[in-house]
Amino acid sequence: MSTETPSTADEPSDDTSDDTRPPAAGTVTRLVTAAVVVVLGGAALAGAWNLGLGSPSKPGPGTWPALVSAALIILGVFLATAARRLDDAERFTRTSLLVIVAVGTMVAYVAVISVIGFEIPTVLLALFWLRVLGRESWRTSIVVSLGATCAFYALFVGALKVTIPHLF
């Protein structure tokens, strides 16, 4: 006979005995997440519309962003309709804030790349993600950050001739 208390709609019981796994998200959390996906998709679709969609024979700059945005909206609606049946989402915890920090640093990266080039921001972003968010050693963080930046430079600037701001 089980002595567990029944779960509420927002706090499903965790049938696994793995203590390292984050707690499962409830229906309310899954619905809020689905709504956020739909809103982001709608905002991106509005931005794509402003870029110009073009036509099927002559696509505009907003064509691909519009298609991706439409996919986001459709997936968000699917998530909302399946919110009661799905149980594989994790509850937001303090570690979920790492995602917000990562997105914030990416926004800062995009903001400064046109001002000082991509090399310094790329090294700093990778270093921050590896050392602070990933808790890697200083040696690993520095080597991987510099190595990845050199590889990106060789690929995008050297081989593909992408017109991105760069120092060298």
Side-chain angles (χ1 to χ4, degrees), residues 37-51 53 62 64-70 72-73:
V37 170
V38 170
V39 167
L40 287 175
L45 184 59
W49 193 284
N50 287 336
L51 289 174
L53 300 179
W64 281 108
L67 293 173
V68 172
S69 302
L72 274 175
I73 294 169

Side-chain angles (χ1 to χ4, degrees), residues 81-157:
T81 58
R84 290 194 182 275
R85 294 185 309 273
L86 297 176
D87 64 351
D88 59 348
E90 297 173 357
R91 186 178 302 157
F92 288 106
T93 61
R94 293 190 81 203
T95 57
S96 303
L97 295 175
L98 294 177
V99 175
I100 295 170
V101 171
V103 170
T105 57
M106 183 61 82
V107 168
Y109 174 80
V110 170
V112 300
I113 198 170
S114 63
V115 178
I116 60 174
F118 89 96
E119 295 92 339
I120 294 170
T122 302
V123 168
L124 294 176
L125 179 71
L127 187 64
F128 181 81
W129 281 13
L130 289 166
R131 180 66 186 139
V132 177
L133 301 181
R135 296 190 178 122
E136 293 292 338
S137 69
W138 277 108
R139 181 179 302 177
T140 300
S141 299
I142 291 169
V143 169
V144 171
S145 297
L146 292 173
T149 302
C150 290
F152 290 149
Y153 185 90
L155 176 66
F156 293 113
V157 176

